[in-house]
Amino acid sequence: MRKNLKHYINGEWVESTGNETYNVINPATEEPMGQISLGTKEDLDKAVQAAKEAFPSFSQTSKEERIEMLENIAEAYARRKDEFIDVMTDELGAPLKISEKVHYSMGYNHFAQAAESLKNIEFMEDRGNHTVVKESVGVSGLITPWNFPTNQASTKIASAFAAGSPVVLKPAEMTPFAAIMLAEIFDEVGVPKGAFNLVNGTGETIGDGISSHPDIDFVSFTGSAGVGAKVMQNASETIKNVALELGGKSPLIVLEDADMKDAARNAVSHIATNTGQVCSAATRMLVPASKKEEFEQAVLEVLPEFPVGHPREGNYVGPLVSKKQWDTVQSYIEKGIDEGANLIAGGTGLPEGLEKGYYAKPTIFTDVSNDMVIAQEEIFGPVMSIITYDTIDHAIEIGNDVVYGLAGYVYGKDPETLKKVATSIRAGRIKVNDASHDFAAPFGGYKQSGIGREWGDYGIEEYLEKKAILGFPS
Ligand code: NAD
């Protein structure tokens, strides 16, 4: 059992000023796997003060010093690969392969990419009559969710460090141990005192405290749309800028000329990877009416390639993160049945043979209409809705008919149709067929999926202010 009842403030691990603790539950066993402290407003104040004191010197470090620091972090992170995999498998319930190929890898790539992107950022630009200087935005408050413990924290921290902005991080209380490992790594590589601070605790105390703190200049939040709105409201009191990375209900548009088996495998991987707890996952599969039966059949055929079970036993789909998340997913499955969608696989209850752990059945609904709740709301579990369309314009219309705009996917062959769909979906990231990941590409949402961009140079820009100087001596 892991135990860390301290917070990392001003370059050292310090006791919490409160005495409330929180048991972190392993969702595969329903047993505690660790314990943390729930911080107080006093702990947060100390962390913000440390970041504020670090600001004058940290913001003035040279680009070269920060590149070296990020490269050192990436190297130190890689040395602890096995432990990261172990921790995320236990705190999140991610299967070992997903912990390695998705979670561990994304965290590493954000530090490595930030070092690369920073090399090409110019902090001073002569624009004729004036000079533009890019400067650190100041003390940055970072609030992260549980579904990607290293990815979310790492992209924010790497961008902030690249910009010379000191941070206070509050990770999700359900998955805090990967973030605690990051603090240990920053300590090991000598990140300047106060440039990184970690306070564990609840959203109501520490998260709310960050978004309303007068000495925090910028807040980067990843989580649900409801909490995001509250963060923005709090931040408005002191006119601080916010970056919000919120939810999604992304479409995957399958073209008439697609190989239906390949498209179905791609579709199922979206709801299976990380047990569907992925903000950018495609959950609405838009299929030509003429191909409906073929696509449904292909989905049922590939489903067994994604077995559900214990994350340490070679399965692809692990448990959901918590009982609360399990209940939410169950209620959406019930809702889909009540709304009259046609259930062709999965359903409510535990998968056969599993009695302990928050496991849900990968669930496929077809004959879904886009105005059903299961087609409009983010479920955050292994649930797919198949919706049919008549023409490409109809598919695009359905794809965009949702409050979210985080991602969009298109699968097929005709280059002109692929281009048309890619440029017509109103979302921050579009993937054509099996395009591979690119950590330099910006990530973020249109509409109610958020404000701002993360990853690579666009991510770093979020942590920079732009100053115009007129009459700057040359
Ligand atoms: P959540 O909004 O419940 O919590 C996110 C974080 O906010 C946690 O650290 C939580 O403790 C904190 N928080 C809770 N109440 C708060 C408050 N009043 N003030 C400030 N902070 C508060 O979300 P979650 O359930 O942890 O994560 C799932 C959500 O995150 C999904 O909606 C998902 O789509 C979204 N998400 C988005 C992205 C993205 O990049 N767009 C990535 C991952 C997850």
Side-chain angles (χ1 to χ4, degrees):
M1 171 131 153
R2 289 183 169 252
K3 190 167 178 171
N4 187 331
L5 301 183
K6 296 185 175 176
H7 309 293
Y8 187 77
I9 298 174
N10 206 24
E12 52 186 347
W13 290 99
V14 299
E15 299 291 342
S16 188
T17 58
N19 48 24
E20 242 190 296
T21 57
Y22 178 89
N23 282 342
V24 178
I25 304 296
N26 178 335
T29 61
E30 302 181 30
E31 302 291 337
M33 59 73 69
Q35 195 177 48
I36 55 165
S37 261
L38 295 179
T40 63
K41 285 263 162 73
E42 203 180 329
D43 296 322
L44 177 63
D45 283 342
K46 284 188 192 168
V48 174
Q49 186 58 29
K52 203 175 157 185
E53 284 168 18
F55 173 75
S57 58
F58 191 56
S59 60
Q60 294 306 312
T61 48
S62 69
K63 176 165 134 173
E64 290 65 34
E65 285 171 312
R66 299 202 297 274
I67 290 168
E68 194 188 338
M69 185 178 86
L70 287 162
E71 288 171 345
N72 290 343
I73 291 170
E75 272 174 36
Y77 179 101
R79 284 197 292 274
R80 293 184 71 178
K81 179 176 178 180
D82 291 346
E83 196 184 344
F84 270 118
I85 293 169
D86 206 49
V87 160
M88 288 185 281
T89 293
D90 286 349
E91 68 181 6
L92 177 62
L96 289 170
K97 271 272 171 292
I98 302 287
S99 289
E100 179 187 353
K101 304 270 181 237
V102 180
H103 296 289
Y104 161 78
S105 158
M106 292 184 90
Y108 172 81
N109 278 294
H110 286 308
F111 289 111
Q113 181 61 52
E116 273 315 298
S117 297
L118 184 51
K119 290 177 186 164
N120 297 318
I121 294 182
E122 292 304 331
F123 286 82
M124 186 178 282
E125 189 191 350
D126 180 353
R127 297 177 15 135
N129 283 344
H130 65 273
T131 300
V132 169
V133 181
K134 293 179 180 172
E135 298 180 337
S136 159
V137 71
V139 175
S140 301
L142 316 178
I143 305 170
T144 53
W146 46 261
N147 65 328
F148 278 86
T150 46
N151 174 56
Q152 306 302 341
S154 301
T155 184
K156 292 182 195 311
I157 298 164
S159 296
F161 283 179
S165 299
V167 306
V168 176
L169 169 71
K170 188 209 93 66
E173 51 274 44
M174 278 193 282
T175 57
F177 286 105
I180 288 172
M181 286 179 65
L182 290 178
E184 291 166 357
I185 286 167
F186 303 149
D187 192 76
E188 177 193 330
V189 306
V191 168
K193 255 171 59 162
F196 177 81
N197 304 278
L198 179 150
V199 181
N200 276 313
T202 64
E204 290 71 26
T205 303
I206 307 301
D208 185 83
I210 286 176
S211 60
S212 51
H213 206 291
D215 289 332
I216 288 184
D217 301 289
F218 170 69
V219 177
S220 179
F221 169 84
T222 299
S224 58
V227 176
K230 192 145 191 281
V231 165
M232 199 170 172
Q233 212 168 21
N234 278 353
S236 72
E237 296 286 320
T238 47
I239 321 291
K240 48 173 127 294
N241 204 356
V242 291
L244 303 174
E245 298 289 341
L246 309 176
K249 192 73 189 177
S250 302
L252 185 160
I253 298 184
V254 179
L255 304 186
E256 188 102 40
D257 62 7
D259 178 308
M260 288 299 144
K261 189 111 184 227
D262 288 350
R265 187 172 286 111
N266 185 273
V268 174
S269 77
H270 276 274
I271 60 146
T273 303
N274 219 33
T275 320
Q277 303 164 118
V278 180
C279 52
S280 56
T283 49
R284 293 181 299 143
M285 311 308 167
L286 311 190
V287 180
S290 59
K291 297 282 183 179
K292 176 177 173 275
E293 281 79 23
E294 195 186 336
F295 184 78
E296 288 168 1
Q297 196 50 43
V299 165
L300 296 180
E301 271 170 36
V302 298
L303 210 48
E305 295 175 18
F306 300 85
V308 186
H310 198 286
R312 291 190 176 272
E313 289 169 6
N315 293 295
Y316 192 91
V317 185
L320 292 158
V321 73
S322 64
K323 173 73 168 60
K324 184 169 167 241
Q325 193 62 22
W326 191 86
D327 288 340
T328 303
V329 170
Q330 300 304 308
S331 71
Y332 274 115
I333 296 174
E334 278 163 20
K335 185 82 194 161
I337 296 167
D338 292 348
E339 284 180 306
N342 182 7
L343 181 75
I344 56 168
T348 53
L350 287 169
E352 223 179 271
L354 293 167
E355 268 128 47
K356 214 168 177 123
Y358 309 125
Y359 298 97
K361 296 176 188 165
T363 294
I364 314 293
F365 283 111
T366 186
D367 299 314
V368 175
S369 77
N370 198 47
D371 56 2
M372 289 180 183
V373 170
I374 57 163
Q376 289 291 318
E377 295 185 12
E378 185 181 50
I379 298 174
F380 234 49
V383 182
M384 178 192 295
S385 290
I386 301 174
I387 302 171
T388 56
Y389 69 84
D390 300 322
T391 62
I392 274 299
D393 287 335
H394 185 211
I396 292 166
E397 187 188 320
I398 301 170
N400 284 330
D401 185 11
V402 69
V403 295
Y404 295 112
L406 189 57
Y409 303 85
V410 55
Y411 216 95
K413 297 194 179 80
D414 178 55
E416 289 313 311
T417 317
L418 290 169
K419 275 190 215 164
K420 178 172 171 155
V421 173
T423 52
S424 304
I425 294 295
R426 298 201 62 231
R429 179 173 278 229
I430 307 292
K431 220 178 204 192
V432 178
N433 292 326
D434 287 320
S436 53
H437 246 0
D438 183 348
F439 289 90
F443 186 97
Y446 282 29
K447 303 194 277 183
Q448 292 184 31
S449 287
I451 296 173
R453 293 291 178 270
E454 298 199 299
W455 302 27
D457 54 336
Y458 280 91
I460 297 169
E461 292 286 342
E462 296 283 333
Y463 295 83
L464 292 169
E465 283 282 17
K466 285 89 192 169
K467 175 189 279 177
I469 305 180
L470 286 78
F472 195 60
S474 54

